[in-house]
Amino acid sequence: MTGPIRTRTEGHILEVILDRPKANAVDLATSRAMGEVFRDFRDDPDLRVAILTGAGDKFFCPGWDLKAAANGDAVDGDYGVGGFGGLQELPHLNKPVICAVNGICCGGGLEIALSCDIILAAEHATFALPEIRSGTVADAASVKLPKRIPYHVAMEMLFTGRWLDAEEAQRWGMINHIHKSDELMDKAWEMARLLASGPPLVFAAIKEIAREAEDAKFQDMMNRITKRQLRTVDTLYASEDNLEGARAFAEKRDPVWKGK
């Protein structure tokens, strides 16, 4: 795929590159294109893991394209099937998504990163929510960030717009790992290959459980799981892969996952 979104596949892995010079900012058309890419990834049984990164080594994504907004893109316009950036509102995305942050990651760009499951960052990556300085709200980040890192740190970022370097972002648990710039994508692909070799039905169940549990009481959620009231859990418990895992353990061999 060409244009502002470039993709390539290797085996069960999809790489998605946001490539929109000069800064990889997202306008409405780019957001819709990202939504289509991740919807197709979600619905393709042959794809198990996605990597999302930005082109170049300066910007991952600064978020909303203010120049496009000045030229008529409405901030409340049609962002597409997945909401802003194609990820944060895409329903039933039950596959792992790795974000490789290769530079500046702020505003809506940070919200996109927070919509991924694992975040790797280059040493020079920086993070912020500067919306406060332009008199608007980082809406998705206001929902997500206080649940991901200590509340008071999230509030400081939201209230002041201050920047975090990669080391501080990792210290607060915002990102998983820091890598040298020239090793970032190799490490992202290494992580992706590890996940692609794992049981896709189990990953799907983990993501649905985690998503549904956000607003549920512990026992209520456990009851839904044990009674197989979640679609992914019901699929997993009735699957060939579920039996394969037990057989492989008993036979002391590596399991062969089929995703069914």
Side-chain angles (χ1 to χ4, degrees):
M1 184 175 185
T2 59
I5 309 300
R6 293 190 283 114
T7 63
R8 73 181 181 100
T9 59
E10 177 191 289
H12 298 300
I13 302 168
L14 171 71
E15 182 182 65
V16 181
I17 302 172
L18 175 57
D19 186 3
R20 191 165 181 267
K22 299 179 179 179
N24 296 330
V26 175
D27 62 359
L28 290 178
T30 302
S31 181
R32 290 193 290 266
M34 291 177 71
E36 292 170 4
V37 166
F38 282 105
R39 178 199 60 202
D40 293 346
F41 163 69
R42 179 197 65 188
D43 296 341
D44 188 336
D46 289 330
L47 294 175
R48 298 184 179 181
V49 183
I51 302 169
L52 172 63
T53 193
D57 58 7
K58 185 175 181 181
F59 290 96
F60 167 68
C61 177
W64 179 238
D65 186 341
L66 295 180
K67 290 184 179 179
N71 290 327
D73 268 14
V75 69
D76 58 350
D78 178 12
Y79 290 116
V81 65
F84 181 79
L87 271 175
Q88 57 191 18
E89 296 179 64
L90 184 64
H92 311 301
L93 179 53
N94 293 326
K95 299 177 180 180
V97 180
I98 300 165
C99 185
V101 178
N102 53 305
I104 292 170
C105 177
C106 65
L110 179 51
E111 292 177 331
I112 293 170
L114 291 172
S115 299
C116 299
D117 303 295
I118 295 173
I119 304 177
L120 311 181
E123 292 174 315
H124 68 284
T126 53
F127 306 84
L129 295 165
E131 283 86 345
I132 190 73
R133 296 174 184 171
S134 57
T136 190
V137 62
D139 46 13
S142 296
V143 175
K144 292 183 177 182
L145 197 60
K147 298 179 180 180
R148 307 290 179 83
I149 67 175
Y151 173 86
H152 300 97
V153 179
M155 289 298 106
E156 182 184 5
M157 289 185 67
L158 288 160
F159 287 160
T160 69
R162 83 173 182 91
W163 288 82
L164 274 61
D165 61 19
E167 288 187 2
E168 185 175 5
Q170 184 185 44
R171 184 164 73 246
W172 295 127
M174 184 187 297
I175 65 176
N176 296 81
H177 305 289
I178 302 170
H179 299 293
K180 294 180 180 179
S181 299
D182 58 357
E183 297 178 354
L184 177 64
M185 292 312 298
D186 287 341
K187 293 297 184 179
W189 274 90
E190 182 180 313
M191 176 70 75
R193 292 185 185 104
L194 173 65
L195 297 181
S197 70
L201 296 183
V202 177
F203 292 152
I206 289 170
K207 287 202 65 169
E208 185 176 25
I209 290 169
R211 187 172 60 246
E212 292 294 313
E214 281 198 357
D215 300 312
K217 293 181 179 179
F218 174 79
Q219 196 57 56
D220 290 344
M221 198 65 209
M222 289 302 297
N223 291 339
R224 291 182 65 191
I225 294 169
T226 57
K227 293 177 181 178
R228 295 171 59 162
Q229 293 176 348
L230 298 176
R231 181 181 59 82
T232 56
V233 173
D234 185 55
T235 298
L236 171 64
Y237 287 169
S239 69
E240 294 179 25
D241 276 5
N242 195 239
L243 292 174
E244 168 64 9
R247 287 172 180 156
F249 179 81
E251 296 168 7
K252 297 181 181 180
R253 60 174 175 81
D254 292 333
V256 179
W257 307 117
K258 296 181 180 179
K260 59 182 181 179

